[in-house]
């Protein structure tokens, strides 16, 4: 079957319901476009594990603060569609902002507790916007499986808890972070970086991998580990570090001693570009 591009939300629901009625397993891959190999790894998991894959491309305005990069966010639907047509995707859903948020739309989701720290503190309202658009997409694509990336680890925790708390009948799969050869996590926002900043940005993943190395060598004291990570970021002249944090992956509360089950998360600005990354320490 060839790739269909759908912009109308009710048409999407109709097409997906037809597939489900025919007994096909449906996979959903929500994205904001400007696709890269990280997104495509999610797409591959979906086409491999389900019979009918819907990729959504929507730069969701409600998850951006007024000071953030909504207007500059890279958009190239034609390129994205060309990429996806080589990956066995069945539907690309690329709605307008108006069709997703018609005048008068005023309902939103209060995100779960795990939305509070880290990104939640630094980006007030972000996870409210994320939870709301993801629930809308779940309603428009009543999929069997939805695929998300560990790259946005806190987002996966927010969505997992929303699925549990609201009894949403969808299975969620979290896919590993795809990185450049030098460790930088792929991100649509990497396109903002100058060649010099691109070099500087590797310090973010390096700081996390350094924590992991120290843990493998026997260091478990969180404050020592964080000090070492912050030093790497300082050495790279990373100006604004929003956080480097060692937390329990379930609750996202900070730990004082790391265990097999600790995750390290970082957010920092390279120039005016805010990047995030994370790494399990086991
Ligand atoms: P975005 O377009 O940034 O909203 O991302 C769409 C989905 O792709 C999210 O579930 C992300 O976590 C995932 N994703 C983004 N970057 C990567 C990456 N480098 N590796 C794996 N998944 C990713």
């Amino acid at each position: 079957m060839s790739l269909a591009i759908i912009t109308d939300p009710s048409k999407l629901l109709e097409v997906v319901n037809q597939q489900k009625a025919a007994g096909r397993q449906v996979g959903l891959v929500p994205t904001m476009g400007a696709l890269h190999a990280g997104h495509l790894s999610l797409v591959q998991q979906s086409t491999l594990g389900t019979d009918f894959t819907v990729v959504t491309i929507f730069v969701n305005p409600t998850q951006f603060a007024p000071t953030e990069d909504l207007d500059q966010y890279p958009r190239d639907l034609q390129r994205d569609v060309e990429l996806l047509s080589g990956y066995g995707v069945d539907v690309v859903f690329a709605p307008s902002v108006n069709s997703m948020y018609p005048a008068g739309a005023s309902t939103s989701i209060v995100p779960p507790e795990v939305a509070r720290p880290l990104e939640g503190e630094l980006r007030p309202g972000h996870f409210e916007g994320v939870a709301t658009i993801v629930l809308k997409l779940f309603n428009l694509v009543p999929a069997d499986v939805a695929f998300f990336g560990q790259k946005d680890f806190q987002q996966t925790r927010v969505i997992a808890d929303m699925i549990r708390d609201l009894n949403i009948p969808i299975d969620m799969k979290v896919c590993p972070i795809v990185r450049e050869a030098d460790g930088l996590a792929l991100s649509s926002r990497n396109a903002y970086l100058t060649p010099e900043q691109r070099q500087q940005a590797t310090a973010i993943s390096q700081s996390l991998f350094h924590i992991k190395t120290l843990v493998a060598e026997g260091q478990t004291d969180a404050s020592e580990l964080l000090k070492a990570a912050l030093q790497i970021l300082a050495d790279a002249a990373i100006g604004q570090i929003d956080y480097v944090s060692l937390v329990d992956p379930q609750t996202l509360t900070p730990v004082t001693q790391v265990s097999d089950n600790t995750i390290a998360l970082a957010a920092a600005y390279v120039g005016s570009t805010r990047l995030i990354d994370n790494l399990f320490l086991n």
Side-chain angles (χ1 to χ4, degrees):
M1 215 181 102
S2 67
L3 177 70
I5 302 170
I6 297 178
T7 55
D8 176 17
S10 47
K11 174 74 184 166
L12 177 67
L13 180 59
E14 187 188 313
V15 166
V16 172
N17 277 337
Q18 274 166 5
Q19 294 298 320
K20 287 181 64 104
R24 299 203 180 91
Q25 294 271 310
V26 175
L28 167 66
V29 183
T31 82
M32 299 201 300
L35 301 179
H36 52 64
H39 298 116
L40 294 173
S41 73
L42 272 53
V43 169
Q44 278 177 311
Q45 289 300 309
S46 179
T47 56
L48 216 69
T50 70
D51 308 313
F52 190 87
T53 292
V54 178
V55 176
T56 68
I57 296 180
F58 181 62
V59 183
N60 173 40
T62 67
Q63 70 190 67
F64 288 77
T67 51
E68 292 180 350
D69 57 342
L70 174 64
D71 292 340
Q72 299 105 283
Y73 198 86
R75 293 164 173 88
D76 191 344
L77 182 61
Q78 197 183 330
R79 175 190 163 276
D80 288 346
V81 168
E82 274 165 25
L83 260 178
L84 291 172
S85 63
Y87 277 80
V89 170
D90 298 284
V91 169
V92 170
F93 177 56
S96 66
V97 171
N98 251 339
S99 68
M100 291 304 278
Y101 298 106
S106 62
T107 307
S108 69
I109 291 290
V110 178
E113 278 297 309
V114 288
R116 250 181 235 271
L118 303 167
E119 294 298 292
E121 255 171 42
L122 288 142
R123 304 184 67 189
H126 172 66
F127 285 124
E128 180 180 338
V130 167
T132 302
I133 190 65
V134 169
L135 182 60
K136 285 167 70 70
L137 292 172
F138 285 172
N139 285 332
L140 291 172
V141 185
D144 297 278
V145 194
F147 297 85
F148 293 89
Q150 189 199 310
K151 165 73 176 19
D152 298 275
F153 180 74
Q154 191 174 8
Q155 171 174 282
T156 66
R157 290 292 303 105
V158 168
I159 294 165
D161 283 5
M162 178 178 79
I163 287 174
R164 180 200 63 194
D165 295 346
L166 301 184
N167 307 96
I168 301 170
I170 201 161
D171 191 16
M172 174 185 182
K173 289 258 179 324
V174 178
C175 304
I177 301 177
V178 177
R179 298 178 179 281
E180 300 281 5
D182 65 4
L184 177 69
L186 296 193
S187 163
S188 304
R189 291 191 168 96
N190 293 349
Y192 298 146
L193 303 173
T194 65
E196 204 173 294
Q197 291 170 338
R198 167 66 188 78
Q199 272 306 108
Q200 220 186 349
T202 59
I204 297 173
S205 60
Q206 273 165 7
S207 71
L208 300 178
F209 281 104
H210 186 57
I211 291 176
K212 187 167 173 155
T213 303
L214 295 177
V215 171
E217 289 168 2
Q219 179 61 270
T220 59
D221 184 82
S223 60
E224 289 300 319
L225 292 164
L226 293 176
K227 213 191 302 174
L230 292 171
Q231 189 60 52
I232 288 181
L233 296 173
D235 289 347
I238 300 282
Q240 186 181 333
I241 300 160
D242 273 355
Y243 57 81
V244 181
S245 204
L246 296 167
V247 305
D248 175 297
Q250 208 53 37
T251 60
L252 300 186
T253 51
V255 300
T256 52
Q257 294 288 317
V258 305
S259 72
D260 266 4
N261 189 33
T262 304
I263 188 166
L265 300 134
Y269 282 85
V270 178
S272 56
T273 303
R274 187 172 185 278
L275 299 176
I276 59 171
D277 197 356
N278 66 78
L279 189 67
F280 274 100
L281 300 180
N282 59 10

